[in-house]
Amino acid sequence: MAQKELDIPVDGMHCSSCSLLVEKSLGKLDEVDSINVDLNTNKAHMVLNDKISPDIIDKTVESVGFTVPKEEVVIQIDGMHCASCVNNVEKFLPRVDGVVEANANLSNQKVTIKYYRDMLNLKEIQKTIEMLGFEYIGLDGELDVMDEEERYQKDLRGKLYRIIVGLVFAAILMAIMQFHIMIPPLTMGQLSLIIAIFPFCYVSYPILKAGWNSFKHKNLDMDVMYSMGILVAFVSSVLGTFGIVLDSSFMFYESAVMLPSFLTIGRYLEARAKRKTSSSIKELIGLQPKTATLVTVDSEGNPVEKEIDIEDINIGDILLVKPGEKIPADSIVVDGESYVDEAMITGEPVPKLKKAGIDVFSGTINQDGALKIEAQKIGSETVLSQIIQLVEKAQGSKPPVQRLANKIVSWFIPVILTIAIIVFLLWYFVAGSGLLFALTCLISVLVVACPCSLGLATPTAVTVGVGRAAEYGILIKNGETLESSKDVDVCVFDKTGTITEGKPEVADIETFDMDESEFLQILSSVENNSNHPIAKSILNRFKADNIKLANEGKEDIQLLAVDDFENVTGKGLKANVSIGGVNSPVLAGNLKLMESEGVEVSEEVLNKFNDFVSDAKTTIVMAVDGEIKGIITLMDKIKDSSKPAIDHLHKMGIETYMLTGDNEKTAAAVANAVGIDNVMANVLPNDKLDKVQELQKEGKRVLFVGDGINDAPALSQGDVGVAMGNGTDIAMESGDIVIMEGDLENVVASIQFSKKVMTRIKENLFWAFAYNMILVPVAAGILYPIWGIIFRPEWAGLAMALSSVTVISLSLLLKRYVPPIKKQVA
């Protein structure tokens, strides 16, 4: 291989020692002849003697403590018709300098390109796309939706006109051939040529142009094969017309016009069907409002309303949303009260009451009252925009099962061409069936073989399935997750916020030699330094008591000064609190904390503690100056959906575990209430990770369900990580699957979606394989010796066109799919 130069960015270098370390590590690779690392530009310039995998470069640089930064861009192209087209795009784009990887999606004609940061050369990418015979449309995010729709409609019209012209003239040609029509002095062949030449050129032009572009650049794809079949039919007919080599029996004019007409019919139906596969994402994009009403104040202090474009909204702007209008940006309500329909984002059909201080989200619909809102997030930062980005990325991903199809497709066309030639030679030279029959079989084999259905089997099912799941508020992030989710046999749940609501409320306060208000004041002063949900619940009770005092005209109670605050992991809190001007040590936590700090626990306290715990209450003991002064309990309500979801998992043969930092009795009470198989209590965050790893070592495939924040290690370790949200309050980057509304039934539904989509992919692939395995031999004439059946080229072309449409139609059935657990609930 000739030497090739490669520049890569390197992050993390701060001195000459860093650059020398990178040079030394990369210089050891066999493929690297020479290397120079420039500290000023943070780039490494390499001269290579052989092709090198980006993964090897990444691992080498990371092994010495640095990173190779990459970014992604999505481009829209047009003209990909089969899996061979996809393979060619993915094969040639990484040859462009700076491009690491390309992932083409046949269903939506988009290509996701991963490239080294600051090294994107769009002109070279466009040149490569056009060299391969495809049309470069532009960067996905910069395309106008209306222009895209107009381009789509124009393409459909063009195909429809060609279909009409092709079928009308094919019918005329068939009539001429059938009834031997002649107009002296023209022979039947000459008349057919005059009638066929215009429609043939018009209908075949897009196919022949694409085929020539591919052939010119040494790319064997479907257009090349089909062009060969069409041209063989037409050229044979012309030669037969004028008696050049062939005689007048070689008349394929009707086939020459029918073949491109049938292919165009297939592509017309395919284009319409593919459009439907991405309807879910278009509906999400359609949720984004185009304008907003900005509220400002004039020089006299009067409010002024002004309609502005959505792009002109700034963070902090006050916006007015009238009944029936869409929320224009992620905002907080500053005035007004209304119910807002968030079903399009969360999948939850019941509208939610929104009033001052509550968040609202872009794209959701205000129902009955006017709201004034303050913009908090705009543009690509809104929850709706993040959902759209996530779903689009997932729809473009490929599950591992696609690799089999890709391997087959890479050999498909060379094998079909070989079969076609062998079939011709066998019939003509071995069987002696004559040139006409051998030529008919050759053309039929060329046009009947279809890698298109193989290429569409996976992306169409993934696109429709992921979009359908998003309608239920289930965001599946990639194709790999679909394949992993269908095989899970263990489901591990965090308790708080997953099985329970995650919003504990104070249930009981039991004090010993201390007034309840003083007890709550001291405890709240300590808890005010923690951001744990329990701390927030205790502070909410403290604030509620103060509101009662204010309503009674009494002076509210202030929090006390705290220092030396310490969070003792798995036990509770320690601090010094200023009580009556004296710093007193205060402990708030479980009995383990009391024991470790040498605090005596009386029998009365122990009995009370055990009684509360047996009622599944989270119980906290507080001690002041080494003496227990009271017990406070909190109840976290179990979600209504938890028990039905756990029951459904058991019916599916999936074992369940619950991991919690709570005590054994509380954990057991919750587990018994919902039917969990196995329970681990008093678990620290790292213990959750260890338990997941332990289950995986036993050969089990683990799905971990958590809140996406505190359970990050376990979510990452699980074969599938499911992050539970509460409405729209969730980090989108958490987990492999994001449940927008914290409903455990959607965890079950996500598994059912995965099973259904993977089943549909396998059905599609089966159909694609079976079609080719059955019809290629039939086209080759295998039925002729026994039954005298010949598969005419025009019918072979129709069968090929319908095979792709069949696969897409099977995928579109997923749009009607309702997970069994949702049927049960309904």
Side-chain angles (χ1 to χ4, degrees):
M1 175 183 169
Q3 285 189 330
K4 179 187 176 183
E5 295 185 0
L6 176 65
D7 290 313
I8 63 165
V10 180
D11 270 2
M13 297 188 297
H14 303 295
C15 61
S16 57
S17 297
C18 299
S19 59
L20 286 172
L21 192 57
V22 173
E23 277 188 9
K24 186 177 178 182
S25 61
L26 287 174
K28 290 179 180 178
L29 298 174
D30 294 337
E31 297 88 350
V32 179
D33 273 350
S34 63
I35 180 170
N36 177 47
V37 178
D38 188 340
L39 187 60
N40 293 319
T41 60
N42 280 334
K43 286 184 179 178
H45 176 77
M46 294 182 285
V47 178
L48 307 176
N49 57 45
D50 201 356
K51 187 177 179 182
I52 186 169
S53 166
D55 290 339
I56 293 175
I57 295 174
D58 291 352
K59 288 176 183 176
T60 304
V61 173
E62 288 169 5
S63 69
V64 290
F66 307 104
T67 57
V68 181
K70 301 183 190 74
E71 293 179 353
E72 281 189 358
V73 66
V74 179
I75 62 170
Q76 183 78 51
I77 69 173
D78 195 24
M80 291 191 297
H81 299 299
C82 65
S84 297
C85 301
V86 171
N87 282 356
N88 285 330
V89 170
E90 294 179 347
K91 177 182 175 183
F92 282 90
L93 279 183
R95 297 180 186 180
V96 176
D97 287 342
V99 175
V100 177
E101 183 184 358
N103 181 10
N105 188 310
L106 182 60
S107 179
N108 59 20
Q109 301 285 303
K110 291 181 181 179
V111 185
T112 302
I113 298 172
K114 187 182 288 186
Y115 63 95
Y116 292 122
R117 192 183 62 199
D118 301 328
M119 295 181 66
L120 181 67
N121 189 336
L122 280 176
K123 286 187 177 178
E124 280 299 311
I125 288 171
Q126 181 176 351
K127 184 178 174 184
T128 303
I129 291 293
E130 290 171 351
M131 178 205 77
L132 293 170
F134 308 119
E135 182 184 357
Y136 175 85
I137 306 298
L139 287 175
D140 186 45
E142 297 177 3
L143 298 175
D144 187 274
V145 176
M146 295 305 294
D147 289 345
E148 185 185 349
E149 181 64 24
E150 186 179 331
R151 190 170 59 252
Y152 165 72
Q153 293 297 339
K154 182 180 177 182
D155 177 62
L156 275 191
R157 282 196 301 272
K159 285 185 171 71
L160 186 59
Y161 294 156
R162 284 185 165 85
I163 290 167
I164 294 169
V165 169
L167 293 181
V168 168
F169 280 90
I172 294 170
L173 289 166
M174 285 180 72
I176 290 172
M177 295 292 178
Q178 184 71 29
F179 300 108
H180 302 284
I181 298 172
M182 290 184 290
I183 302 178
L186 299 175
T187 65
M188 185 176 67
Q190 291 168 341
L191 178 62
S192 298
L193 174 60
I194 291 170
I195 292 173
I197 193 162
F198 165 73
F200 174 78
C201 293
Y202 176 65
V203 179
S204 301
Y205 175 73
I207 301 162
L208 295 175
K209 180 186 175 185
W212 171 245
N213 282 333
S214 297
F215 181 75
K216 186 170 60 176
H217 295 106
K218 300 176 182 177
N219 298 324
L220 285 176
D221 61 15
M222 197 61 219
D223 287 314
V224 173
M225 287 177 59
Y226 221 89
S227 296
M228 288 173 65
I230 293 169
L231 288 173
V232 168
F234 190 78
V235 172
S236 298
S237 302
V238 173
L239 293 176
T241 298
F242 297 103
I244 303 170
V245 181
L246 305 175
D247 59 37
S248 59
S249 62
F250 289 85
M251 291 294 160
F252 295 105
Y253 285 117
E254 79 281 15
S255 296
V257 176
M258 264 192 191
L259 284 174
S261 301
F262 283 151
L263 179 63
T264 307
I265 288 173
R267 289 185 175 174
Y268 175 84
L269 296 173
E270 187 180 311
R272 292 189 59 171
K274 283 197 289 190
R275 191 76 167 178
K276 291 178 184 176
T277 65
S278 56
S279 62
S280 295
I281 196 70
K282 286 182 175 61
E283 287 169 10
L284 283 172
I285 293 171
L287 292 175
Q288 297 174 310
K290 302 291 186 290
T291 60
T293 304
L294 176 67
V295 179
T296 56
V297 179
D298 63 16
S299 57
E300 297 178 1
N302 298 315
V304 177
E305 296 177 11
K306 178 186 176 185
E307 187 173 286
I308 61 172
D309 290 334
I310 201 79
E311 294 83 6
D312 297 329
I313 297 175
N314 294 308
I315 292 174
D317 281 351
I318 302 299
L319 307 167
L320 176 66
V321 186
K322 298 171 184 174
E325 291 183 345
K326 293 176 181 176
I327 306 293
D330 287 4
S331 311
I332 188 168
V333 178
V334 293
D335 188 33
E337 189 173 299
S338 179
Y339 282 91
V340 173
D341 182 2
E342 295 182 343
M344 61 291 298
I345 288 181
T346 65
E348 176 58 48
V350 181
K352 294 184 177 179
L353 178 64
K354 303 290 182 176
K355 51 188 177 181
I358 297 179
D359 293 329
V360 289
F361 302 94
S362 175
T364 56
I365 301 171
N366 181 27
Q367 294 204 322
D368 50 9
L371 293 174
K372 279 188 180 177
I373 59 176
E374 181 183 330
Q376 303 286 310
K377 292 180 181 178
I378 57 177
S380 62
E381 298 300 314
T382 65
V383 169
L384 178 59
S385 294
Q386 289 180 52
I387 291 173
I388 291 169
Q389 291 166 22
L390 191 151
V391 172
E392 280 188 323
K393 190 171 182 179
Q395 289 180 333
S397 65
K398 298 177 182 177
V401 71
Q402 178 67 15
R403 293 173 193 153
L404 172 64
N406 289 345
K407 284 180 182 177
I408 291 170
V409 165
S410 63
W411 289 97
F412 185 87
I413 291 177
V415 168
I416 292 299
L417 284 172
T418 304
I419 290 172
I421 293 167
I422 291 172
V423 164
F424 175 82
L425 295 174
L426 285 174
W427 282 120
Y428 185 64
F429 291 106
V430 179
S433 298
L435 186 58
L436 178 61
F437 183 81
L439 208 55
T440 300
C441 291
L442 171 71
I443 297 169
S444 294
V445 170
L446 286 175
V447 299
V448 79
C450 185
C452 308
S453 52
L454 284 170
L456 290 166
T458 299
T460 53
V462 170
T463 299
V464 178
V466 167
R468 179 63 171 159
E471 293 175 18
Y472 283 90
I474 302 167
L475 306 182
I476 300 171
K477 287 193 172 180
N478 52 59
E480 290 84 353
T481 299
L482 286 168
E483 194 152 342
S484 301
S485 299
K486 74 177 180 63
D487 294 325
V488 297
D489 40 32
V490 172
C491 200
V492 180
F493 297 92
D494 177 43
K495 178 179 78 70
T496 306
T498 303
I499 292 173
T500 62
E501 296 284 358
K503 297 174 183 176
E505 295 179 355
V506 173
D508 309 282
I509 297 177
E510 187 83 24
T511 59
F512 308 101
D513 301 323
M514 180 176 279
D515 182 73
E516 183 177 308
S517 60
E518 185 183 4
F519 169 84
L520 194 57
Q521 180 190 30
I522 296 170
L523 180 61
S524 298
S525 301
V526 175
E527 298 285 357
N528 191 43
N529 294 273
S530 170
N531 57 10
H532 193 280
I534 288 176
K536 291 177 182 176
S537 299
I538 292 172
L539 285 166
N540 286 339
R541 171 62 183 267
F542 177 75
K543 291 172 186 175
D545 284 2
N546 266 342
I547 291 171
K548 284 182 183 178
L549 290 173
N551 291 337
E552 293 170 3
K554 298 177 183 178
E555 188 177 345
D556 61 357
I557 300 171
Q558 301 297 315
L559 293 175
L560 304 171
V562 174
D563 57 25
D564 296 330
F565 175 83
E566 182 184 347
N567 187 340
V568 183
T569 304
K571 295 181 180 179
L573 308 175
K574 292 171 62 177
N576 287 326
V577 181
S578 178
I579 304 173
V582 179
N583 262 3
S584 301
V586 176
L587 303 172
N590 55 27
L591 292 182
K592 285 184 180 179
L593 179 65
M594 302 299 143
E595 291 167 7
S596 64
E597 296 295 326
V599 175
E600 184 181 347
V601 180
S602 67
E603 189 174 341
E604 181 188 3
V605 170
L606 187 60
N607 289 337
K608 281 285 183 186
F609 184 91
N610 288 333
D611 288 343
F612 288 136
V613 167
S614 62
D615 291 334
K617 295 176 180 177
T618 299
T619 307
I620 296 169
V621 180
M622 186 184 81
V624 179
D625 290 324
E627 186 179 338
I628 292 175
K629 293 296 183 182
I631 299 174
I632 189 169
T633 70
L634 298 97
M635 280 284 287
D636 191 1
K637 184 186 173 188
I638 295 171
K639 292 178 182 176
D640 294 336
S641 63
S642 293
K643 182 164 177 39
I646 301 300
D647 290 344
H648 217 92
L649 287 171
H650 289 154
K651 289 176 185 175
M652 294 165 66
I654 297 174
E655 192 178 0
T656 53
Y657 283 76
M658 185 181 79
L659 311 181
T660 177
D662 239 327
N663 60 73
E664 289 91 343
K665 289 186 177 180
T666 301
V670 172
N672 289 335
V674 298
I676 293 277
D677 298 321
N678 307 282
V679 185
M680 284 184 67
N682 299 312
V683 173
L684 301 178
N686 283 342
D687 294 335
K688 295 177 184 178
L689 174 64
D690 294 340
K691 184 60 183 176
V692 171
Q693 290 174 330
E694 180 187 322
L695 289 168
Q696 288 172 328
K697 285 175 184 175
E698 294 173 10
K700 295 178 179 177
R701 297 186 68 83
V702 179
L703 182 143
F704 185 89
V705 187
D707 60 16
I709 301 167
N710 301 322
D711 303 310
L715 276 170
S716 299
Q717 180 62 39
D719 296 286
V720 180
V722 178
M724 298 288 285
N726 181 15
T728 40
D729 179 21
I730 187 162
M732 290 289 171
E733 66 275 7
S734 301
D736 303 303
I737 297 173
V738 177
I739 305 296
M740 293 300 297
E741 191 73 23
D743 185 342
L744 274 193
E745 285 169 356
N746 276 350
V747 174
V748 180
S750 71
I751 298 172
Q752 292 171 340
F753 264 117
S754 298
K755 287 178 180 289
K756 186 66 176 179
V757 172
M758 291 309 301
T759 299
R760 186 52 41 87
I761 288 172
K762 289 174 181 176
E763 289 170 353
N764 286 350
L765 288 172
F766 170 79
W767 166 256
F769 284 128
Y771 163 84
N772 284 289
M773 289 177 69
I774 294 169
L775 290 190
V776 169
V778 171
I782 197 170
L783 300 179
Y784 183 73
I786 305 171
W787 292 290
I789 296 173
I790 302 174
F791 202 30
R792 295 279 302 171
E794 54 268 34
W795 304 123
L798 180 61
M800 189 283 292
L802 293 178
S803 68
S804 297
V805 177
T806 302
V807 164
I808 298 173
S809 299
L810 285 171
S811 294
L812 282 172
L813 292 176
L814 288 169
K815 287 178 70 66
R816 301 177 187 174
Y817 177 68
V818 178
I821 192 167
K822 294 297 181 181
K823 292 179 183 175
Q824 179 177 298
V825 172

